[in-house]
């Protein structure tokens, strides 16, 4: 009996530990678990879409429900799966890569996570409360402003809250990378994943406020009777499209650049060569980020902006192919003549290159404004963005998880199951989406509930659905792999891949203060340089001393809870003004927590140097 | 106000520098007030629209630069990254406003 | 232990950046202001696109008077100067004077906010010009209201800091907090400069 009590208490203690943690490694795991959950949810929605389209005139789901599924599939995958999974990798790796003991704002880092989770839960609560949003993930007005029920309200509040979390996370990473680098870690010695994180955080900083404003306007229109997008009050729905895409296009680069960073880490390690053209890679990353802000209107070619505007945005869009091409060639040259090891992480990286190139090529095709009038809103577009987002971002996340799993959990994911996942997912992916290019060219519009028989679309859709099942199989195998590895897998040392960057210079498991002594960085691929000089560890930049650590706090969780409550209040106050109480209570909780945070001094605590060796296993 | 500044201990170089800066800030403030007067005055004088609008916008931009560089100390060293981020924000802001002026139609 | 390092006898030249936490706050807040720039640009853009969409209601020429706006502008500009003086006193480690100048800033800020509320009240009751009357109304109240919300938040923030630290005085732990709050206050003033130019002056012409 005593053992069960001990176990219960330890479970409670672990739960409390994760609820209050400000440790970037644990926050990374939180992001991974919740992002993974939403990824499976979004995948389930994808399967429903593909089953509905398996044959002409199918009625697996009703038309209205189909709209909800397809809206939630897009929204979930972008905001609740891809972004958090990328944040998981960033949190797990970036502070280690720059030789930092923690992030710049540990408290805000935790707050960012809980806000994201609160937003995601609000969004998905809609399934049980009268129907999910059904206006597409782009929520174009006036479709979104006139959509009946509360579905779109959940979209607005959910994204607003999780967007605030993302913005906070972005600022945290910017400051972390600027201020917390180890001695000697100059900007041009930062690993590429850190560089892409830096650029992506800047994109988040400048892109998300536009979404914030757009969502506020939509919320005011739907819930408080304003007329921004209501033509009968003099409003203009094109405002929403601009605001959404001023955010939305940088968002695409926010997703793909970290994936580029992951591949730029994996390819050199498993080719036993330094990354080819490091400087060019850095500048290409910055350039992509920069150009990413000048191309949003290519999503709006058919709105009628006029030939001048369309041409400018078309040319700017095509220009992005140049820095991206630089990257592709640099990856190829990194491989060239290398001593290549093929494992699961490497398989994803190798297959990413041709897959993403196809996606980029269709991107240039779509950028031709005149041709886009034909492609617009067809399955050609669907095929294009799945090639870049699945073939780029999801492959990147899988590759990054296989590569950094030993860093995060001390064990290597099972290679056999990993390769099974890879091959089924890879083949399934191309089967699903390659054919959709042709479905689109034959005129099949996106987002339609069903299609008619004998229009040449039957076989293509059947093949596409078969591919989707293969992808689902691969994903299930990955989940099994995670379970099997965590139960049976053997602990490995701190540097299982013979790595080049700082995160591999730490013993396994990573101590919660990361580095006992801050390392001295002597060049690019800091750990590799030390290895080449015959050392097994980094040269320390400081004597062993007391280590300053931040205090844990439950406040981030409570603040997110406050906004969660307020969110429901905002949504339901149109039906019954008593719900305004929920708004006041929720916002009161939020402001109260901010007040406590501001009033209570938080100096953190010190780990004394005598205790360092004892506590190393923590 | 100048008495306030002189009263506390005078500790050489940094004190001098701070005083210097305070002087700049007072001049900045005076200029901002003057600019505001000019802007309001021009509108009240009902001059030609095409003449007034560009001038008051330029005056606003100059005022903001004053705020950023003198009141918010962006002229000090150690403000390289804040400058990059503010100018980054301003460029996106410029594109956004340009869009809403020329790419929204009726 | 930490109290000695955080309470030096002589303040360093830049007390707001003397600790790592201070440096982080300083940089993080500037970056946040970069994001706020885009936020307000989106609101300004929306306002500019909708400023003539009066839907038969009162237009900006009929609504706006310049007297009140001029007084509000003067109040806010002056409060920007007083918060600069407060930071000047902070760097001289003169806590009492810093508190006094911050108090003046807060009073001026509340003056501004009351006038703004009075202005809104007049529009709503006398002119029947509301958030729901036209797209122009929605855009006007949203833009100016967002700014007003920032003013209110800034006032509460500065007040909290003043009351919180009234007894313990200035140290290297709270110096960055005061500094960052004053940056926020200046940024509010920056936005107002564009609001009085773009919304009111250009609205009257």
């Amino acid at each position: 009996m005593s053992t069960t009590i001990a176990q219960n208490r330890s479970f409670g203690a672990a739960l409390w530990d994760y609820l209050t943690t400000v440790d970037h490694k644990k926050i990374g795991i939180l992001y991974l678990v919740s992002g993974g959950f939403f990824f499976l949810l979004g995948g389930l929605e994808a399967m429903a879409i593909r089953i509905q389209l398996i044959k002409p005139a199918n009625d697996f789901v009703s038309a209205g429900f189909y709209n909800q599924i397809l809206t939630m599939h897009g929204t979930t995958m972008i905001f609740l799966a891809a972004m958090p999974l990328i944040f998981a990798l960033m949190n797990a790796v970036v502070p280690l890569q720059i030789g930092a003991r923690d992030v710049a704002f540990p408290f805000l880092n935790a707050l960012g996570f809980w806000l994201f989770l609160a937003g995601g839960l609000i969004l998905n609560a809609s399934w049980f409360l009268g129907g999910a949003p059904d206006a597409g993930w782009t929520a174009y007005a006036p479709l979104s402003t006139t959509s009946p029920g509360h579905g779109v309200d959940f979209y607005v509040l959910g994204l607003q809250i999780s967007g605030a979390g993302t913005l906070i996370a972005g600022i945290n990473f910017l400051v972390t990378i600027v201020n917390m680098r180890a001695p000697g870690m100059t900007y041009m010695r930062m690993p590429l994943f850190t560089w892409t994180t830096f650029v992506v955080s800047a994109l988040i900083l400048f892109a998300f406020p536009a979404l914030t404003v757009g969502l506020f306007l939509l919320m005011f229109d739907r819930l408080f009777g304003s007329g921004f997008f209501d033509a009968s009050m003099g409003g203009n729905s094109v405002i929403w499209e601009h605001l959404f895409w001023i955010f939305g296009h940088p968002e695409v680069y926010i997703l793909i650049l970290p994936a580029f960073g992951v591949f730029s880490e994996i390819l050199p390690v498993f080719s036993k060569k330094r990354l080819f053209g490091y400087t060019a890679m850095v500048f290409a990353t910055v350039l992509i980020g920069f150009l990413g802000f000048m191309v949003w209107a290519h999503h709006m070619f058919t709105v009628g902006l006029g030939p001048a505007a369309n041409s400018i945005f078309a040319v700017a869009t095509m220009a992005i192919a140049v820095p991206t091409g630089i990257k592709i060639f640099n990856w190829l040259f990194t491989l060239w003549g290398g001593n290549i090891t093929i494992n699961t992480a490497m398989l994803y990286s190798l297959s990413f290159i041709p897959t993403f190139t196809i996606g980029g090529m269709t991107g240039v095709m779509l950028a031709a404004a005149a041709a886009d009038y034909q492609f617009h809103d067809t399955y050609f577009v669907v095929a294009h963005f799945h090639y870049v987002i699945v073939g780029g971002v999801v492959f990147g996340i899988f590759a990054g998880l296989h590569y950094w799993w030993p860093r995060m959990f001390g064990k290597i994911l099972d290679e056999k199951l990993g390769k099974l996942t890879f091959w089924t997912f890879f083949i399934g992916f191309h089967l699903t989406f390659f054919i959709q290019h042709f479905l689109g060219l034959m005129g099949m519009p996106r987002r339609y509930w069903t299609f008619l028989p004998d229009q040449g679309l039957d076989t293509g859709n059947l093949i596409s659905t078969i591919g989707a099942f293969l992808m689902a199989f691969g994903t299930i195998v990955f989940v099994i792999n995670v379970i099997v590895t965590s139960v049976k897998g053997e602990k490995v040392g701190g540097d299982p891949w013979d790595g080049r960057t700082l995160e591999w210079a730490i013993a396994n498991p990573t101590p919660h203060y990361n580095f006992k002594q801050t390392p001295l960085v002597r060049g690019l691929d800091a750990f590799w340089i030390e290895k080449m000089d015959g050392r097994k560890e980094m040269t320390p930049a400081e004597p062993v001393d007391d280590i300053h650590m931040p205090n844990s706090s439950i406040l981030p969780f409570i603040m997110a809870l406050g906004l969660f409550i307020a969110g429901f209040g905002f949504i339901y106050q149109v039906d019954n003004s008593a719900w305004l109480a929920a708004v006041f209570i929720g916002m009161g909780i939020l402001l109260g927590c901010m007040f406590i945070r501001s009033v209570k001094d938080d100096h953190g605590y010190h780990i004394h140097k005598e205790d360092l060796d004892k506590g190393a296993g923590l | 106000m100048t008495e306030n500044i002189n009263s506390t201990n005078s500790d050489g170089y940094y004190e001098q520098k701070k005083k210097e800066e305070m002087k700049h800030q007072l001049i900045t403030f005076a200029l901002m007030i003057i600019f505001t007067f000019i802007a309001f005055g021009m509108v009240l004088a009902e001059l030609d629209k095409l003449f007034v609008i560009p001038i008051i916008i330029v005056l606003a931009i100059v005022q903001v630069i004053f705020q950023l560089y003198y009141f918010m100390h962006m002229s000090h060293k150690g403000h390289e990254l804040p400058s990059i981020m503010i100018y980054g924000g301003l460029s996106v802001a410029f594109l956004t406003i340009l869009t809403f002026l020329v790419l929204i139609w009726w | 232990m930490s109290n000695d390092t955080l309470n030096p006898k002589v303040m360093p030249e830049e007390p707001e950046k003397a600790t790592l936490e201070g440096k982080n706050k300083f940089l993080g807040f500037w970056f946040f202001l970069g994001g706020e720039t885009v936020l307000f640009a989106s609101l300004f853009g929306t306002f500019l696109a909708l400023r003539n969409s009066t839907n038969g209601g009162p237009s900006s020429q009929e609504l706006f008077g310049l007297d009140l706006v001029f007084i509000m502008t003067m109040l806010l500009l002056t409060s920007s100067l007083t918060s600069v003086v407060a930071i000047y006193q902070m760097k001289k480690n003169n806590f009492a004077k810093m508190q006094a100048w911050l108090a003046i800033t807060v009073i001026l800020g509340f003056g501004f906010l009351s006038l703004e509320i009075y202005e809104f009240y007049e529009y709503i009751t006398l002119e029947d010009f509301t958030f729901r009357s036209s797209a122009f109304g929605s855009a006007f109240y949203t833009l100016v209201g967002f700014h007003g919300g920032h003013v209110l938040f800034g006032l509460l923030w500065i007040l909290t800091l003043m009351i919180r630290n009234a007894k313990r005085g200035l140290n290297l732990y709270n110096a960055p907090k005061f500094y960052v709050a004053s940056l926020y206050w200046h940024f509010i003033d920056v936005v107002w400069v564009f609001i009085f130019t773009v919304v009111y002056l250009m609205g009257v012409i």
Side-chain angles (χ1 to χ4, degrees):
Chain A
M1 201 187 86
S2 60
T3 48
T4 45
I5 289 172
Q7 253 177 355
N8 280 341
R9 187 186 289 157
S10 75
F11 175 74
L15 183 70
W16 181 252
D17 185 30
Y18 273 93
L19 286 178
T20 60
T21 189
V22 291
D23 179 355
H24 67 93
K25 298 178 286 298
K26 285 180 183 154
I27 291 172
I29 291 171
L30 287 172
Y31 268 120
L32 177 63
V33 171
S34 36
F37 168 73
F38 286 123
F39 181 75
L40 295 180
L41 207 60
L44 214 58
E45 286 148 11
M47 291 316 292
I49 293 174
R50 278 322 316 170
I51 293 171
Q52 164 63 24
L53 295 176
I54 194 169
K55 62 174 185 173
N58 200 5
D59 60 351
F60 176 69
V61 290
S62 72
F65 192 54
Y66 182 83
N67 288 346
Q68 298 176 19
I69 292 172
L70 99 96
T71 302
M72 284 301 280
H73 168 67
T75 315
T76 304
M77 283 303 195
I78 298 276
F79 291 99
L80 308 180
M83 300 259 319
L85 287 172
I86 283 166
F87 276 132
L89 293 177
M90 288 179 179
N91 266 298
V93 174
V94 168
L96 303 179
Q97 277 196 335
I98 60 174
R101 294 223 168 89
D102 211 319
V103 291
F105 304 112
F107 181 91
L108 288 183
N109 199 15
L111 179 62
F113 167 75
W114 291 111
L115 286 182
F116 139 70
L117 190 64
L121 292 178
I122 288 183
L123 201 51
N124 276 288
S126 61
W127 289 114
F128 309 104
L129 297 167
D134 55 359
W137 86 281
T138 51
Y140 272 16
L143 182 63
S144 56
T145 46
T146 50
S147 161
H150 279 304
V152 178
D153 301 332
F154 282 100
Y155 170 93
V156 171
L157 269 304
L159 288 192
Q160 190 70 280
I161 292 170
S162 75
T166 307
L167 191 60
I168 288 171
I171 292 178
N172 175 38
F173 277 112
L174 277 175
V175 180
T176 303
I177 292 171
V178 173
N179 271 356
M180 310 287 279
R181 282 168 292 137
M185 177 66 84
T186 59
Y187 283 107
M188 292 314 279
R189 287 176 183 175
M190 293 195 313
L192 243 260
F193 185 66
T194 303
W195 254 113
T196 51
T197 303
F198 186 67
V199 173
V200 159
S201 304
L203 295 188
I204 289 175
L205 179 63
F206 297 135
F208 267 76
L211 178 71
T212 306
V213 170
L215 290 173
F216 267 124
L217 303 188
L218 189 53
M219 173 178 155
F220 292 163
D221 264 19
R222 279 187 64 91
L223 299 175
F224 298 105
S226 65
F228 292 103
F229 310 128
D230 183 353
S232 69
M233 286 170 74
N236 189 329
S237 56
V238 181
I239 290 175
W240 166 265
E241 295 188 26
H242 275 301
L243 284 176
F244 186 84
W245 288 118
I246 287 174
F247 146 77
H249 200 80
E251 166 72 11
V252 180
Y253 294 100
I254 292 168
L255 293 175
I256 194 63
L257 284 177
F260 286 176
V262 171
F263 298 124
S264 306
E265 298 293 319
I266 292 173
L267 289 170
V269 167
F270 295 115
S271 306
K272 285 270 173 293
K273 277 176 71 188
R274 62 175 284 177
L275 183 69
F276 187 92
Y278 171 82
T279 321
M281 288 299 246
V282 170
F283 281 104
T285 307
V286 176
L287 195 61
I288 291 175
F290 183 73
L291 287 174
F293 273 101
M294 308 190 179
V295 297
W296 77 86
H298 67 216
H299 297 270
M300 302 164 61
F301 280 152
T302 55
V303 168
L305 304 176
N310 276 4
S311 312
I312 293 169
F313 283 104
V315 172
T317 306
M318 291 176 190
I320 293 190
V322 176
T324 316
I326 292 175
K327 280 179 169 279
I328 297 278
F329 281 106
N330 279 334
W331 287 316
L332 292 176
F333 287 136
T334 306
L335 288 164
W336 194 20
N339 183 6
I340 295 174
T341 314
I342 301 281
N343 57 22
T344 314
M346 196 62 172
L347 279 173
Y348 281 112
S349 311
L350 291 175
S351 63
F352 151 81
I353 297 175
T355 310
F356 192 81
T357 308
I358 296 174
M361 193 188 68
T362 51
V364 177
M365 287 169 74
L366 286 161
D372 185 65
Y373 274 80
Q374 187 65 27
F375 303 139
H376 189 81
D377 258 351
T378 67
Y379 264 80
F380 189 81
V381 179
V382 176
H384 159 71
F385 67 66
H386 280 94
Y387 260 77
V388 285
I389 292 183
V390 180
V393 184
V394 177
F395 280 21
I397 289 168
F398 273 129
L401 287 176
H402 276 275
Y403 177 59
W404 280 310
W405 204 265
R407 187 72 270 156
M408 292 175 81
F409 299 101
K411 293 169 176 179
I412 294 180
L413 282 173
D414 187 83
E415 274 294 306
K416 266 196 198 129
L417 289 174
K419 281 180 181 158
L420 180 61
T421 301
F422 168 76
W423 284 112
T424 45
F425 198 86
F426 176 75
I427 294 170
F429 162 74
H430 281 282
L431 217 51
T432 310
F433 294 109
F434 193 73
I435 194 81
Q436 291 187 1
H437 290 116
F438 300 99
L439 289 173
L441 291 177
M442 286 187 283
M444 182 170 168
R446 70 191 274 208
R447 290 177 171 165
Y448 275 29
W449 168 54
T450 188
F451 58 96
L452 293 175
D454 300 324
Q455 294 182 328
L457 305 174
D458 306 14
T459 322
N461 275 300
L462 178 64
I463 293 173
S464 187
T465 303
I466 293 171
F469 273 100
L470 270 179
M471 288 169 81
F473 177 78
T475 312
I476 292 167
V477 173
F478 182 79
V479 176
I480 293 170
N481 191 355
V482 169
I483 296 166
V484 168
T485 305
S486 54
V487 175
K488 281 192 187 164
E490 285 180 17
K491 294 258 176 209
V492 292
D495 183 20
W497 309 123
D498 196 10
R500 311 173 72 85
T501 40
L502 270 180
E503 75 266 30
W504 304 112
I506 309 168
N508 239 342
T510 319
H512 68 295
Y513 45 81
N514 295 355
F515 295 90
K516 193 166 148 189
Q517 291 162 288
T518 307
L520 179 72
V521 176
R522 299 195 294 147
L524 183 62
D525 292 344
F527 191 33
W528 191 255
I529 292 180
E530 303 295 331
K531 283 183 187 172
M532 288 300 102
D533 285 357
R535 271 186 288 272
K536 294 225 161 55
E537 287 175 337
M538 293 299 297
T539 317
E542 57 172 18
V544 180
D545 203 352
D546 293 357
I547 291 174
H548 180 249
M549 295 300 289
N551 286 326
S552 298
S553 173
I554 189 71
L555 286 181
F557 176 78
I558 299 178
M559 286 166 91
L561 189 69
L563 270 177
F564 184 78
I565 295 168
F568 280 96
F570 276 117
I571 292 169
Y572 284 109
Q573 50 81 29
V574 267
D575 302 338
N576 184 346
S577 52
W579 277 94
L580 281 174
V583 174
F584 290 123
I585 293 170
M587 296 308 276
I589 293 173
L590 175 73
L591 288 171
C593 288
M594 287 168 81
F595 182 75
I596 294 171
R597 174 72 185 164
S598 177
V599 161
K600 222 180 103 198
D601 281 6
D602 182 6
H603 293 292
Y605 66 98
H606 283 84
I607 308 172
H608 295 292
K609 57 184 168 192
E610 298 78 27
D611 303 334
L612 274 179
D613 290 322
K614 275 186 275 172
L618 277 175
Chain B
M1 197 181 299
T2 39
E3 273 176 8
N4 277 350
I5 296 160
N6 290 327
S7 60
T8 34
N9 62 331
S10 50
D11 191 32
Y13 173 69
Y14 288 131
E15 284 304 309
Q16 199 58 43
K17 223 173 83 175
K18 273 179 210 157
K19 249 186 236 173
E20 193 86 339
E21 201 195 334
M22 195 68 234
K23 210 164 79 188
H24 283 298
Q25 281 162 342
L26 284 174
I27 295 170
T28 307
F29 178 68
L31 282 174
M32 281 166 58
I33 296 288
I34 292 169
F35 287 171
T36 311
F37 268 98
I38 295 174
F40 276 85
M42 282 179 66
V43 173
L44 287 175
E46 294 184 3
L47 300 171
D48 182 45
K49 204 173 166 174
L50 288 177
F51 174 65
V52 175
I53 289 181
I55 293 184
I56 58 174
I57 287 176
V58 169
L59 286 177
I61 291 171
V62 175
Q63 278 208 44
V64 164
I65 291 173
F66 276 165
Q67 284 267 0
L68 285 173
Y69 277 90
Y70 291 102
F71 281 17
M72 295 165 85
H73 313 288
M74 231 164 79
S75 56
H76 289 198
K77 67 173 195 298
H79 283 71
E80 295 79 11
L81 278 159
S83 308
I84 292 177
M85 289 301 167
I86 285 290
Y87 282 112
L90 284 175
S91 354
V92 179
F94 173 75
L95 275 178
T96 308
I97 288 173
L98 188 70
T99 303
F100 281 86
L101 283 174
V102 299
L103 286 185
I104 304 264
W105 72 104
W106 304 103
Chain C
M1 184 208 106
S2 59
N3 278 339
D4 297 336
T5 47
L6 288 177
N7 282 312
K9 294 238 160 50
V10 183
M11 272 279 157
E13 200 213 338
E14 286 181 324
E16 74 276 7
K17 286 195 275 184
T19 60
L20 179 62
E21 283 75 18
K23 279 185 199 131
N24 288 344
K25 273 207 179 74
F26 169 81
L27 210 56
F29 200 77
W30 267 105
F31 292 174
F32 170 72
L33 290 184
E36 286 264 275
T37 311
V38 182
L39 183 108
F40 275 104
S42 308
L43 291 169
F44 271 109
T46 309
F47 175 82
L48 284 169
L50 297 175
R51 70 194 168 118
N52 295 321
S53 308
T54 53
N55 194 26
S59 70
S60 59
Q61 284 87 349
E62 294 157 16
L63 273 173
F64 297 155
L66 289 183
D67 325 354
L68 202 60
V69 177
F70 184 74
I71 300 170
M72 284 161 77
T73 306
M74 286 301 147
L75 287 179
L76 209 59
L77 280 181
T78 315
S79 80
S80 198
L81 179 76
T82 54
S83 78
V84 161
V85 180
I87 293 305
Y88 173 74
Q89 299 294 353
M90 178 188 96
K91 293 197 175 185
K92 291 173 71 167
N93 204 3
N94 199 336
F95 183 68
K97 280 186 182 156
M98 180 185 89
Q99 291 278 75
W101 284 108
L102 283 180
I104 298 174
T105 309
V106 169
I107 292 167
L108 290 170
F110 270 115
F112 171 88
L113 203 59
S114 339
L115 287 181
E116 183 156 272
I117 292 168
Y118 170 72
E119 186 204 352
F120 282 8
Y121 174 78
E122 279 219 316
Y123 290 160
I124 292 168
T125 52
L126 297 181
E127 313 276 351
D128 200 22
F129 171 68
T130 70
F131 187 61
R132 297 178 188 188
S133 50
S134 64
F136 165 61
S138 306
F140 170 78
Y141 284 109
T142 303
L143 171 60
V144 183
F146 253 83
H147 177 262
H150 275 71
V151 173
L152 179 64
F153 187 83
L155 289 172
L156 294 179
W157 184 8
I158 296 176
L159 265 181
T160 309
L161 278 178
M162 285 173 62
I163 296 168
R164 167 75 183 96
N165 295 301
K167 279 194 183 149
R168 62 182 55 195
L170 192 64
N171 57 36
L172 292 186
Y173 178 74
N174 57 30
K177 296 189 174 199
F178 280 111
Y179 187 86
V180 159
S182 94
L183 280 184
Y184 186 74
W185 194 253
H186 292 307
F187 184 78
I188 288 170
D189 204 19
V190 165
V191 175
W192 180 254
V193 168
F194 281 111
I195 289 186
F196 85 70
T197 306
V198 172
V199 177
Y200 291 101
L201 291 183
M202 277 167 62
V204 170
I205 292 174

